[in-house]
Amino acid sequence: MDINGSVALVTGGASGLGLATTEKLLDAGASVVILDLRNSEAVDKLGDRVRFVAGDVTSEDSVKEALDVAAELGTLRVAVNCAGTGNAIKTIGRKGPFPLADFNRIIQINLVGTFNVIRLAAERIAQADPIDGERGVIVNTASVAAFDGQIGQAAYSASKGGVVGMTLPIARDLAGAMIRVCTIAPGLFDTPLLAGLPEEAKASLGAQVPHPARLGSPSEYGALAAHIVANPMLNGEVIRLDGAIRMAPR
């Protein structure tokens, strides 16, 4: 699909992987609506082809508001799910069993929120006229934790494993509407989630990656997301973007 002239929705687009994806889509000629909990100075500098909507991916009203703003810019053809969060809690710990509310919160944001955006964005994309045999593309974000979850990542791994697991059936669901669906499973990336770590700690994490032995750059995620949109044979696939890392238990 030609990104130039398309309209995209990027959740979590005000920072990290989402911001980098927004920048790549803009560079390719798209207009972008960002749905995120809060704005950032970086978004304010992106230019007049960007709109920001403050909202929560688990809220139907928030997502519909963002999609309505997208409709004002043109025809929605791309949705990229980058919004997400995590925690680190053992199944049983010093304070007792994993609090169920904390488990549910991660599932609601990372898995249910992703599906909420998929279902509502797909409805809008399905109304577009086909171009070169397709109407649009949806890209989701999982994690290598879906496969190599570490100690304390039961909720996070479950949520990302759910995103992985629903990729193929949703791609099959939407094939008749000419909408492709893929998921990226990033490894260790230099995102705001790691921003509070000392440089030594980040270097140590990066050294765990076989090659290149460093943290991933958000721009590398954004480049893959843009390529998925542009390559019409990528569908129903989960792509690890991780430098060949396989996470150890800790």
Side-chain angles (χ1 to χ4, degrees):
M1 166 164 288
D2 188 0
I3 297 173
N4 187 36
S6 298
V7 177
L9 170 67
V10 180
T11 72
S15 65
L17 303 180
L19 178 61
T21 299
T22 297
E23 292 170 340
K24 291 293 183 182
L25 293 173
L26 288 171
D27 288 345
S31 298
V32 181
V33 176
I34 293 172
L35 175 63
D36 209 328
L37 292 174
R38 57 191 64 85
N39 205 345
S40 68
E41 290 183 8
V43 171
D44 293 336
K45 299 175 182 177
L46 291 178
D48 58 7
R49 284 188 286 119
V50 175
R51 300 288 186 275
F52 176 83
V53 176
D56 184 338
V57 292
T58 65
S59 163
E60 183 167 353
D61 289 342
S62 290
V63 177
K64 284 183 174 180
E65 180 185 356
L67 292 170
D68 288 343
V69 171
E72 296 172 2
L73 295 176
T75 302
L76 181 73
R77 294 193 181 272
V78 178
V80 184
N81 279 299
C82 292
T85 189
N87 60 22
I89 304 173
K90 290 185 177 181
T91 305
I92 54 170
R94 294 175 183 175
K95 297 181 180 180
F98 197 133
L100 195 57
D102 291 328
F103 189 92
N104 282 335
R105 176 175 173 269
I106 301 303
I107 298 297
Q108 283 294 314
I109 295 171
N110 293 356
L111 179 56
V112 178
T114 294
F115 184 70
N116 188 39
V117 174
I118 291 172
R119 69 188 186 94
L120 296 173
E123 181 186 34
R124 302 292 183 99
I125 295 171
Q127 298 170 22
D129 292 330
I131 298 177
D132 296 328
E134 59 182 339
R135 287 191 169 91
V137 186
I138 297 172
V139 181
N140 306 309
T141 305
S143 167
V144 296
F147 313 101
D148 313 327
Q150 296 185 295
I151 289 171
Q153 288 190 338
Y156 185 70
S157 294
S159 69
K160 296 302 188 179
V163 174
V164 168
M166 70 183 180
T167 299
L168 180 58
I170 293 175
R172 288 170 166 172
D173 283 348
L174 298 179
M178 302 180 184
I179 300 171
R180 292 187 286 115
V181 181
C182 283
T183 292
I184 301 172
L188 297 174
F189 272 69
D190 191 5
T191 66
L193 287 175
L194 300 181
L197 293 178
E199 288 303 317
E200 281 187 15
K202 290 198 281 189
S204 176
L205 286 173
Q208 297 177 29
V209 182
H211 179 71
R214 58 170 174 80
L215 296 177
S217 166
S219 66
E220 292 164 333
Y221 175 99
L224 179 54
H227 178 74
I228 290 170
V229 174
N231 190 325
M233 278 303 287
L234 282 172
N235 192 21
E237 189 57 78
V238 177
I239 303 170
R240 289 184 68 135
L241 185 65
D242 59 16
I245 195 169
R246 298 298 181 266
M247 300 294 288
R250 301 179 183 274

